[in-house]
Amino acid sequence: MPLVSAREILRPGRVAFDVIQLEQLTAVIDGAQAVRSPVLLQISRAAVRYHGALAPIAAAALAAAKSATVPVALHFDHVDSLSRMTEVVELGFGSVLFRVSTSDLAVTREVVEYCHRNGVWVEAGLGGRVDPANAGEFAAATGVDTLAVGARDGMPDLDLISRLRRRTGVPLALADCPVGTDGELVAAVRAGIMRLTCADLVRRVFADGVMEYRHRNPAVHDPCAYLSAGRDRLAAEVSRILELHTVA
């Protein structure tokens, strides 16, 4: 199955899983393949800091995506400089979150035009509690493909999501998913969220698998053993989440 763009697989409740290392990205693909679901692999600035550069983890993600048996799109979260944007596009990412303010219309429009010339989907993160009227004007003026909204007190703001969806006319993304709130996330999708992001959940579930294995097997120091435990735990959770939002 070839690597695809976010545009090709976007639908209500599509999930992007934020990965930092190889075991996590292969777990996400394994989990998606188990339930035959398209998925987005997300790489963020945290992964760049961890590896010291974007290219190594991007190359691994692209290779894994191209060998998957389900459609996999590669998303970068989030770009806050034009030099990073150029790198992301040249490395082969299919979509990107560009962190801006509502006053940066000219810069954002330039970024959107550049990305669209290269077949890249652009998501704008406006930050804070966004005013729907301003967001609607911003979307119309810049031509962004998606707007990202945050959570309020750790939970999706369903009223804001509904008003933004009506006012902007573009798909919405939830910047990060709270852990253990399946009902709230399903409600957010029904209110208008097209793309969900799981970052903290990926790290917690993977770490739980590793730590549980080490607790039960303190004499085993082979990373192939305990990292595999984390990968398997995460793959199962990825499958569960993808099935949840397929049903929703």
Side-chain angles (χ1 to χ4, degrees), residues 52-126:
L54 175 57
I57 185 63
L62 286 164
K66 289 175 181 177
S67 64
T69 60
V70 296
V72 179
L74 191 57
H75 176 76
F76 190 87
D77 177 274
H78 63 262
V79 170
D80 54 10
S81 71
L82 297 181
S83 60
R84 178 69 78 193
M85 179 66 76
T86 300
E87 181 184 20
V88 165
V89 171
E90 291 179 348
L91 284 172
F93 284 76
S95 63
V96 59
L97 170 62
F98 183 52
R99 183 67 67 181
V100 296
S101 72
T102 52
S103 63
D104 294 332
L105 297 181
V107 172
T108 304
R109 184 70 201 181
E110 180 183 349
V111 167
V112 169
E113 291 174 353
Y114 167 70
C115 288
H116 284 178
R117 287 196 301 271
N118 289 277
V120 177
W121 179 277
V122 184
E123 185 175 293
L126 300 177

Side-chain angles (χ1 to χ4, degrees), residues 175-245:
D176 194 12
C177 301
V179 175
T181 56
D182 288 351
E184 287 286 340
L185 297 182
V186 170
V189 171
R190 290 173 177 165
I193 290 294
M194 293 288 284
R195 187 185 70 77
L196 301 158
T197 300
C198 288
D200 290 343
L201 180 144
V202 168
R203 296 162 193 168
R204 178 183 62 82
V205 172
F206 184 82
D208 285 349
V210 171
M211 290 188 290
E212 181 178 314
Y213 182 91
R214 294 288 292 129
H215 177 73
R216 293 182 176 179
N217 305 275
V220 177
H221 303 293
D222 182 1
C224 293
Y226 56 78
L227 292 177
S228 291
R231 183 179 60 197
D232 293 346
R233 175 76 65 90
L234 178 55
E237 181 65 5
V238 167
S239 293
R240 188 191 72 80
I241 291 173
L242 292 176
E243 285 194 309
L244 171 72
H245 292 293

Side-chain angles (χ1 to χ4, degrees), residues 18-22 24-25 42-44 46-47 50-51 57 202-203:
D18 191 273
V19 299
I20 292 179
Q21 59 187 140
L22 182 62
Q24 292 173 339
L25 73 87
Q42 176 174 295
I43 294 174
S44 68
Y50 178 76
H51 293 283
I57 185 63
V202 168
R203 296 162 193 168

Side-chain angles (χ1 to χ4, degrees), residues 127-141:
R129 185 174 175 84
V130 182
D131 177 75
N134 291 341
E137 294 173 0
F138 177 86

